[in-house]
Amino acid sequence: MPFVITSPCMHEKAGDCVDVCPVDCIAKGEDQFYIDPDICIDCGACEAVCPVSAIYHEEEVPPEEQAYIQKAIDFYKTYEG
């Protein structure tokens, strides 16, 4: 999973990241957006435009936000697009 959307996105859902994603790998969940780890091409476009600084490269996710890695994985296990 190259990029992960974390807690600052909770209930924010500005959607700037969705608009710039060249591979349409970001989906709107009930409480936040999620990046599909199987589709993301690691371009970083979403990270650059996030108005709440909620997007991190997987290797740079702060310790207190690590649960969002699994949250995204779990979301896409049941996502039906």
Side-chain angles (χ1 to χ4, degrees):
M1 176 178 302
F3 283 89
V4 179
I5 299 176
T6 60
S7 68
C9 184
M10 295 289 293
H11 308 291
E12 171 62 33
K13 298 194 276 189
D16 298 29
C17 57
V18 176
D19 295 337
V20 300
C21 181
V23 293
D24 296 323
C25 72
I26 303 173
K28 185 176 181 180
E30 186 175 314
D31 57 356
Q32 72 174 81
F33 285 102
Y34 295 94
I35 297 173
D36 188 330
D38 294 328
I39 300 174
C40 180
I41 59 170
D42 200 18
C43 71
C46 59
E47 181 183 31
V49 300
C50 181
V52 293
S53 301
I55 303 174
Y56 294 89
H57 193 277
E58 179 183 24
E59 296 170 358
E60 298 173 355
V61 174
E64 66 274 11
E65 300 287 334
Q66 290 288 314
Y68 287 86
I69 296 171
Q70 188 62 48
K71 188 174 179 183
I73 292 168
D74 293 344
F75 174 79
Y76 280 102
K77 284 181 182 176
T78 59
Y79 180 68
E80 296 180 14

